Amino acid sequence: MIVDYHMHLRNGSEEVAHDTWSVDPFVAAARAAGVDEIGFTEHVYYFTQTRSLWTVPYQTERCLYDLDAYVDAVVQARERGQPVKLGLEVDYVPGREDETRKLLAPYPWDYLLGSVHFVDGFGVDGEPKLLDEVGVEEAWSRYFETLAAAARSGLFDSLSHPDLVKIFGERAAAFDYAEVADAIAQTGIAVEVSTAGLRKPVEEIYPSSAFLEMIVDAGNPIALSSDAHTTDQLGYRYDDALRLMADHSVTELAVFDRLERRLEAIG
Ligand SMILES: [Zn+2]
Ligand SMILES: [Zn+2]
């Protein structure tokens, strides 16, 4: 089985399109790419219902859409027999775990992705840039501390783009992943292998080979994704991801169904 478990529901013009018929071009693109099942994971901060969680302008400015409409769009596609899963890409906000849990509890998720896009009000992959504010060494250590806390929060089924902080190609010298890998190992959470990094300045899959090795050695399941915002990005450069996973003896992928996880053989 091949899945793509991280994508954003958009129309052909890359505009947010939370209606069930906008799902179908993604399903068609999945078939063409040899992907058996896809999961939609809209950004949690796009929804009016989550407004109280955010303090960063990038997020507060985007709380424009109805979470119920998004959920209905994907659930209707699921009920029409399309091979789609209902997920959400959820920004982890330290200290707001209970509120996050309560807000999301009423919905029939297949899985929730945990993401760290902001640390202490600064953007990991956007403005105002964490890297510029605190420097590369500090940015890396704060980012991975927050990622470890996201894993430990128990809010999420899978960690998105786990070393996102490398996005611009700036790397901490001799960074040791052992501490964060250990925290992730203790939770048993799934971890994404994401080809999105290949489309960014770093031009490398998330996570790096060294980090992936620790994750796999610890026994955490692997989730596979492209983080597509357009249908042509679905399954983006999966050959590279499959090669990387094969190099690390990954033979199974995490598959989610109403918050239950199982492993399926790759292929
Ligand atoms: Zn993301
Ligand atoms: Zn995303």
Side-chain angles (χ1 to χ4, degrees):
M1 186 161 183
I2 299 287
V3 300
D4 190 336
Y5 267 175
H6 185 153
M7 66 190 65
H8 299 270
L9 188 52
R10 302 283 184 267
N11 65 21
S13 313
E14 294 188 47
E15 291 158 348
V16 168
H18 295 159
D19 62 275
T20 193
W21 303 111
S22 294
V23 167
D24 295 7
F26 284 87
V27 172
R31 290 216 174 91
V35 172
D36 302 299
E37 183 173 276
I38 60 177
F40 290 94
T41 53
E42 190 52 273
H43 288 292
V44 64
Y45 51 74
Y46 272 54
F47 300 108
T48 54
Q49 286 93 333
T50 69
R51 171 65 185 80
S52 62
L53 284 172
W54 320 117
T55 52
V56 177
Y58 184 89
Q59 294 167 316
T60 59
E61 288 161 6
R62 283 170 172 72
C63 306
L64 302 170
Y65 301 92
D66 180 20
L67 182 54
D68 295 278
Y70 165 69
V71 168
D72 287 349
V74 180
V75 167
Q76 282 167 24
R78 207 162 66 179
E79 286 168 354
R80 286 190 285 119
Q82 299 286 40
V84 301
K85 291 289 163 78
L86 175 64
L88 196 67
E89 180 175 10
V90 182
D91 286 56
Y92 172 63
V93 189
R96 307 298 289 276
E97 292 85 351
D98 289 344
E99 194 178 350
T100 305
R101 190 174 284 110
K102 246 179 241 147
L103 270 166
L104 301 179
Y107 297 94
W109 309 113
D110 287 303
Y111 60 92
L112 294 173
L113 300 180
S115 287
V116 177
H117 298 114
F118 291 91
V119 175
D120 304 326
F122 300 119
V124 176
D125 58 346
E127 304 288 341
K129 267 192 208 166
L130 179 68
L131 281 162
D132 295 343
E133 294 295 329
V134 303
V136 62
E137 298 292 331
E138 183 68 14
W140 274 56
S141 67
R142 284 206 217 173
Y143 169 80
F144 283 108
E145 270 169 33
T146 311
L147 187 75
R152 280 193 296 260
S153 73
L155 284 168
F156 311 117
D157 302 289
S158 180
L159 288 177
S160 315
H161 38 61
D163 56 356
L164 180 67
V165 70
K166 75 181 177 188
I167 183 168
F168 301 111
E170 292 183 59
R171 297 169 195 268
F175 187 81
D176 187 358
Y177 297 98
E179 207 172 312
V180 62
D182 196 44
I184 290 170
Q186 284 171 24
T187 67
I189 194 170
V191 178
E192 260 189 6
V193 164
S194 168
T195 58
L198 294 168
R199 303 193 298 268
K200 306 296 182 187
V202 69
E203 294 183 39
E204 183 183 280
I205 287 172
Y206 306 115
S208 67
S209 186
F211 190 17
L212 179 61
E213 182 162 296
M214 290 189 195
I215 291 162
V216 171
D217 284 352
N220 291 78
I222 299 301
L224 178 60
S225 71
S226 67
D227 204 346
H229 287 67
T230 54
T231 54
D232 62 317
Q233 290 173 343
L234 204 153
Y236 180 76
R237 290 181 62 178
Y238 263 23
D239 287 350
D240 297 73
L242 293 170
R243 200 174 312 121
L244 177 68
M245 291 190 294
D247 287 347
H248 291 281
S249 306
V250 177
T251 57
E252 295 175 313
L253 291 176
V255 172
F256 296 99
D257 198 12
R258 311 290 171 108
L259 302 179
E260 297 282 325
R261 183 178 79 202
R262 65 178 197 277
L263 295 172
E264 290 277 349
I266 294 174

